[in-house]
């Protein structure tokens, strides 16, 4: 169960409003579409992690800072001996048919989004 329910970012909310009210430039529209795709990937991933049978901690939208730079981790899964990070940038793959693997790993055959794995 996630510690924090996922919600749309402020940037995505603003871009949705602007997209309805005006014509975005090519770069702005591309950025908006990538924000939408990324959020949809996160939502699909959340639905997938709801099916996990093993005990783990799920951290969504974790904001961190390093060397005066701020960044966000979309999803972090912490099992007893494994920590996995997941990032969804312009994501456009359907996750609904991907089976979960229950040996303290998730989506092992699908290396499309794990950034790091620490044992």
């Amino acid at each position: 169960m996630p510690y924090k329910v996922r919600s749309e970012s402020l940037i995505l909310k603003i871009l949705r409003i602007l997209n309805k009210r005006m014509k975005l430039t090519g770069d702005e529209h591309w950025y908006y579409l990538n924000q939408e795709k990324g959020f949809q990937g996160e939502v699909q991933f959340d639905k997938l992690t709801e099916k996990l049978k093993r005990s783990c901690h799920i951290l969504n939208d974790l904001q961190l800072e390093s060397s005066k730079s701020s960044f966000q981790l979309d999803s972090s899964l912490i099992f007893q001996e494994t920590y996995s990070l997941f990032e969804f940038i312009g994501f456009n793959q359907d996750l609904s048919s991907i089976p979960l693997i229950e040996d303290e790993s998730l989506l092992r055959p699908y290396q499309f989004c794990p950034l790091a794995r620490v044992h």
Side-chain angles (χ1 to χ4, degrees):
M1 171 162 225
Y3 281 104
K4 176 181 146 187
V5 177
R6 189 177 311 277
S7 62
E8 296 98 342
S9 68
L10 179 60
I11 291 172
L12 180 56
K13 289 177 184 177
I14 291 169
L15 287 170
R16 283 178 177 165
I17 292 168
L18 290 175
N19 188 51
K20 289 180 182 179
R21 294 182 179 232
M22 62 185 276
K23 182 163 177 61
L24 299 174
T25 67
D27 287 344
E28 292 167 340
H29 189 68
W30 179 82
Y31 182 67
Y32 163 64
L33 291 178
N34 279 325
Q35 290 290 314
E36 283 287 1
K37 288 179 188 177
F39 181 69
Q40 293 308 316
E42 293 170 6
V43 170
Q44 283 186 44
F45 187 77
D46 292 344
K47 289 178 184 176
L48 196 61
T49 58
E50 287 173 2
K51 299 175 186 176
L52 278 172
K53 295 177 184 165
R54 295 201 52 133
S55 176
C56 72
H57 299 288
I58 302 170
L59 304 175
N60 290 328
D61 299 330
L62 185 61
Q63 290 289 130
L64 300 172
E65 185 176 318
S66 177
S67 302
K68 299 183 182 179
S69 293
S70 177
F71 59 96
Q72 173 186 312
L73 302 177
D74 289 339
S75 291
S76 300
L77 275 65
I78 305 170
F79 291 92
Q80 186 171 355
E81 295 181 13
T82 307
Y83 177 66
S84 298
L85 306 174
F86 297 88
E87 182 67 25
F88 303 90
I89 300 172
F91 191 75
N92 59 2
Q93 183 173 345
D94 182 17
L95 294 176
S96 61
S97 63
I98 296 174
L100 293 177
I101 299 168
E102 296 297 331
D103 63 346
E104 290 195 358
S105 65
L106 181 71
L107 310 172
R108 182 179 293 150
Y110 302 94
Q111 296 299 318
F112 52 85
C113 60
L115 292 178
R117 195 178 179 101
V118 181
H119 294 277

